[in-house]
Amino acid sequence: MHMGEAARPTAPSYSGQRGATAGPLGWLAVAAAAAGLVWLFFGKLISGAMSQWGRGGKKGGKWVSDRSLGGRMVWMADEPDTKSSSARSQSLRWDDTPSSSSAVLPHDETDPASVSGRHTPTGPKAPQQQKGPPSWWDPPPSVHVDQRYKDQTSSQARTILRQMEDGKLLSGRDYPTSALVSLRQTCADSGAVVKAQTPSGGDAIFRAGVEAAVSAAMEPGQGASLGGASPPRFVSGLAHDLGLADEKAGSMAVAVVAARLRSLLKDAAAASRKGDEIEELDQLVRVVGLLDKFPLPPSSPQADMIAAAVQQRATLQERQALFFTYGGMEPNTASVMAEMLGFNPDLVMPQLQIELDAVQQHQADSS
């Protein structure tokens, strides 16, 4: 007998099971301790040597050590000075225009590569529609078991599903994460598929599972999982368990991810406005984890919608600061962050690389 990716279930009931995802795990304590250590050990270095970050476009900032990123030093940039005549303001000026949802560079008639926002010389760059499931989709492997065992686990899975549906119908309870994990484990063990009483009910249960997986993806560290599965595998497997088509389920999952990213960026901008750098860093670290597990494709319509919402809540200067802070934390997904903040990655990513290179060179010169 070939077993699935989780241990064989021993009982159909999910009552009393522990949720698959932990709580915030002391985010505030981690960030506060990191900030204190940075000030204690690096305060003098920061206040002197690193004040040239941005070569005048930013007045300065400071480094913080983020334990959730393995102790990596993260640069927290100050608010940019848009009136500066420094090298940055000459080489990279940002501007909001009513006709574009992007921050833009000044147009240079002699350079066809210098265009506003997401616009190219031939016109606007349309968002790319996703065909099929997203790139992170990770369906469970096929399992082969005898029919008696498959019938037994299918019955157990139906019992778990009915308990969730009855709890929602009779008392309005949300679908518990522990029940979703039990359903996934039971079906994974035999390849069983169960159907909700209504299509809309099946969609609602699946979205609840995606929300649980999104929360797990934002937890610090690389071991976040749900019942032994990675967040992408859990989402993909749950879609199979409920009999949902991959493309439809993938679209629903991406919508949930985009909504959470939008909320995180709005909260990060609000923290930046209040000068709460610990909270700002906390929200950005969550974005790092979410994009690591559930990346958005380049030029996605979701990134455009996120940018439109964030621009209503955050000033240009706040979005600039968020971009450079995030880019110092995780350059690999900074281009997606640029899109979600309303910037054209083709125009702003080279400037980010210049800033990162300058910091590395300064560190090398100081060592």
Side-chain angles (χ1 to χ4, degrees):
M1 181 185 303
H2 177 77
M3 298 300 291
E5 57 183 331
R8 181 184 302 178
T10 57
S13 174
Y14 60 84
S15 133
Q17 292 193 24
R18 186 176 180 180
T21 58
L25 297 181
W27 284 97
L28 183 58
V30 171
L37 288 174
V38 169
W39 180 252
L40 180 61
F41 293 109
F42 299 98
K44 292 183 179 179
L45 173 63
I46 291 166
S47 60
M50 300 313 299
S51 60
Q52 295 183 359
W53 167 268
R55 296 182 302 283
K58 289 179 184 285
K59 290 298 184 181
K62 55 180 175 293
W63 292 93
V64 295
S65 174
D66 184 7
R67 292 182 182 177
S68 65
L69 293 176
R72 183 185 302 178
M73 298 300 295
V74 176
W75 178 253
M76 293 292 296
D78 289 343
E79 291 291 328
D81 183 2
T82 57
K83 297 182 180 180
S84 172
S85 59
S86 64
R88 171 182 288 173
S89 64
Q90 294 297 326
S91 62
L92 178 62
R93 292 185 310 210
W94 314 70
D95 185 26
D96 280 331
T97 65
S99 61
S100 173
S101 63
S102 299
V104 301
L105 290 172
H107 181 66
D108 183 354
E109 299 293 344
T110 64
D111 182 4
S114 178
V115 291
S116 296
R118 298 182 187 277
H119 293 267
T120 66
T122 58
K125 183 178 180 181
Q128 299 177 2
Q129 295 294 334
Q130 178 79 35
K131 293 183 179 180
S135 61
W136 50 260
W137 198 255
D138 186 18
S142 300
V143 294
H144 303 282
V145 298
D146 62 73
Q147 190 60 44
R148 174 183 291 183
Y149 181 68
K150 188 168 186 176
D151 291 343
Q152 176 187 357
T153 54
S154 295
S155 177
Q156 291 178 344
R158 284 194 295 272
T159 299
I160 296 171
L161 181 62
R162 296 298 174 257
Q163 287 177 338
M164 285 194 291
E165 291 179 316
D166 291 346
K168 185 70 171 178
L169 178 63
L170 299 177
S171 60
R173 292 199 309 263
D174 292 334
Y175 303 110
T177 299
S178 58
L180 296 167
V181 172
S182 292
L183 179 64
R184 173 82 276 270
Q185 289 177 322
T186 304
C187 292
D189 203 30
S190 65
V193 175
V194 292
K195 290 283 189 179
Q197 293 180 1
T198 64
S200 61
D203 292 349
I205 293 172
F206 175 70
R207 279 192 292 268
V210 178
E211 291 282 3
V214 164
S215 296
M218 296 189 304
E219 293 295 334
Q222 299 300 314
S225 62
L226 295 150
S230 68
R233 170 62 65 84
F234 180 82
V235 169
S236 307
L238 188 62
H240 169 270
D241 303 339
L242 295 169
L244 302 178
D246 286 354
E247 185 169 356
K248 173 187 176 182
S251 297
M252 288 193 290
V254 170
V256 173
V257 171
R260 189 69 67 93
L261 287 168
R262 181 178 65 238
S263 176
L264 290 171
L265 289 180
K266 288 164 67 175
D267 289 345
S272 175
R273 188 177 310 113
K274 294 185 297 185
D276 189 345
E277 295 172 346
I278 293 177
E279 178 64 17
E280 177 188 351
L281 183 60
D282 179 20
Q283 300 303 320
L284 293 181
V285 168
R286 291 171 184 264
V287 174
V288 170
L290 195 48
L291 288 180
D292 178 62
K293 299 298 190 299
F294 299 108
L296 295 180
S299 303
S300 68
Q302 291 79 19
D304 277 351
M305 289 186 288
I306 293 170
V310 172
Q311 283 178 287
Q312 294 178 355
R313 297 292 186 90
T315 66
L316 173 61
Q317 290 75 23
E318 289 164 352
R319 289 184 288 120
Q320 280 181 280
L322 290 176
F323 171 68
F324 282 104
T325 299
Y326 184 93
M329 294 166 56
E330 185 49 74
N332 292 333
T333 53
S335 60
V336 178
M337 172 60 84
E339 291 187 36
M340 294 190 299
L341 292 172
F343 302 140
N344 186 334
D346 294 338
L347 302 179
V348 300
M349 285 300 294
Q351 185 65 30
L352 174 62
Q353 189 59 53
I354 291 173
E355 301 289 1
L356 295 176
D357 291 344
V359 171
Q360 291 178 354
Q361 183 62 47
H362 180 83
Q363 290 175 329
D365 293 342
S366 301
S367 61

